[in-house]
Amino acid sequence: MLLAITRGVSPSMSRCELTHLERRPIDPAIAAGQHAQYEECLRALGCTVQRLPAVPDLPDCVFVEDVAVVLDELAVITRPGAESRRGEVPAVAQALAPYRKLACIEAPGTVDGGDVLRVGRTLYVGLSGRSNAAGIEQMRAHLAPYGYTVTGVPVSGCLHLKSAVTQVGRDTLLINRHWVEPRTFAPLDLIDIDPSEPQAANGLLINGAVIYPQAFPRTKERLEQRGIAVRTVDLSELAKAEGAVTCCSLIVRV
Ligand code: CIR
């Protein structure tokens, strides 16, 4: 069974962290409606959704992906790169504790879960504005005993590694090669985003289908041409906070 842990939209979302986008007003009610549709899509693909309550003083709390990395053997509780987001950690750690042994990233290390792409026993971890070398080293130390390889990957021009590349099939990645070096991922198959849709590399693979933003129809067509089943969701209000599809859930195999 797949459990999807999500968290509600904070009423203060307009005060979210922003790195690459201009600040625009965010309507928390619209964002919450889109988020509920996203949860519905997770359910349609076979997940049980457990939604944690939103917190008024944590504007980015809906983006649960960033505060943990969940593997079959354990979960790594991160130390997010943005200080304003560190208060998001305890409730997510508490929610994961019944399902996994927990390991924690400690100062001076920082890791955002959005920087962690797992493909089989390899974890690619973005060296981004949010995740640093000390954090990646700690990930390596926590995971090496379980046979995982942890590889640091420079990213530039985007927030997280998974803004630039995500898994869309067993051996297939969707990539924006302007933001990450494609040779890093050999011998996996790569699908390039449509050049007119630079933000389009983030999809969420669940039980053989990809949850995908409806904002990127050209890249969606490329996915479908490669035989990938795509379920679109409208996350336009959450996208104003630099969020996409992977960041709104933590998937736990239970
Ligand atoms: C932030 O900058 O931290 C949030 N406004 C957006 C986080 C999105 N997270 C993700 O893509 N994993």
Side-chain angles (χ1 to χ4, degrees):
M1 199 264 280
L2 290 185
L3 173 71
I5 296 178
T6 65
R7 196 166 193 180
V9 170
S10 174
S12 66
M13 199 179 194
S14 287
R15 291 191 272 115
C16 65
E17 292 286 333
L18 282 179
T19 309
H20 296 280
L21 293 184
E22 293 285 313
R23 192 168 296 279
R24 288 186 288 159
I26 297 174
D27 183 327
I30 295 174
Q34 293 178 350
H35 184 249
Q37 291 299 312
Y38 168 83
E39 291 174 327
E40 214 32 62
C41 193
L42 286 166
R43 284 190 197 95
L45 291 174
C47 297
T48 297
V49 175
Q50 179 186 345
R51 185 196 294 177
L52 309 180
V55 179
D57 287 338
L58 294 174
D60 280 308
C61 68
V62 70
F63 301 122
V64 281
E65 170 183 61
D66 291 318
V67 294
V69 176
V70 182
L71 302 168
D72 285 345
E73 300 85 352
L74 79 168
V76 179
I77 304 301
T78 69
R79 180 169 178 269
E83 206 172 333
S84 73
R85 299 202 54 193
R86 297 197 182 137
E88 297 172 30
V89 170
V92 174
Q94 199 182 345
L96 286 169
Y99 304 105
R100 293 292 187 274
K101 175 182 162 191
L102 304 181
C104 296
I105 302 296
E106 313 279 1
T110 61
V111 173
D112 275 15
D115 274 315
V116 182
L117 172 67
R118 184 184 68 82
V119 184
R121 305 302 282 183
T122 302
L123 274 83
Y124 301 97
V125 186
L127 268 164
S128 67
R130 296 289 175 86
S131 302
N132 65 19
I136 294 174
E137 196 42 54
Q138 290 179 38
M139 288 280 288
R140 190 171 286 130
H142 287 311
L143 300 183
Y146 298 94
Y148 289 99
T149 302
V150 174
T151 304
V153 181
V155 291
S156 63
C158 61
L159 183 59
H160 289 130
L161 176 65
K162 279 191 283 191
S163 320
V165 59
T166 53
Q167 186 175 23
V168 291
R170 208 190 59 154
D171 299 311
T172 308
L173 305 179
L174 177 63
I175 189 165
N176 176 340
R177 54 181 77 211
H178 291 296
W179 292 345
V180 68
E181 169 57 56
R183 280 175 297 189
T184 309
F185 307 103
L188 295 167
D189 290 334
L190 301 179
I191 300 176
D192 287 289
I193 52 130
D194 187 280
S196 67
E197 299 172 340
Q199 320 280 347
N202 188 271
L204 176 59
L205 179 64
I206 301 277
N207 283 335
V210 173
I211 302 182
Y212 194 68
Q214 76 178 27
F216 309 121
R218 292 186 171 152
T219 304
K220 175 185 179 241
E221 207 176 304
R222 289 182 179 214
L223 292 169
E224 288 175 333
Q225 276 165 2
R226 295 280 285 265
I228 293 169
V230 181
R231 303 281 189 116
T232 52
V233 286
D234 178 7
L235 288 183
S236 51
E237 204 64 14
L238 294 154
K240 294 180 185 172
E242 291 189 42
V245 288
T246 61
C247 51
C248 295
S249 56
L250 282 166
I251 306 296
V252 187
R253 194 176 299 280
V254 290

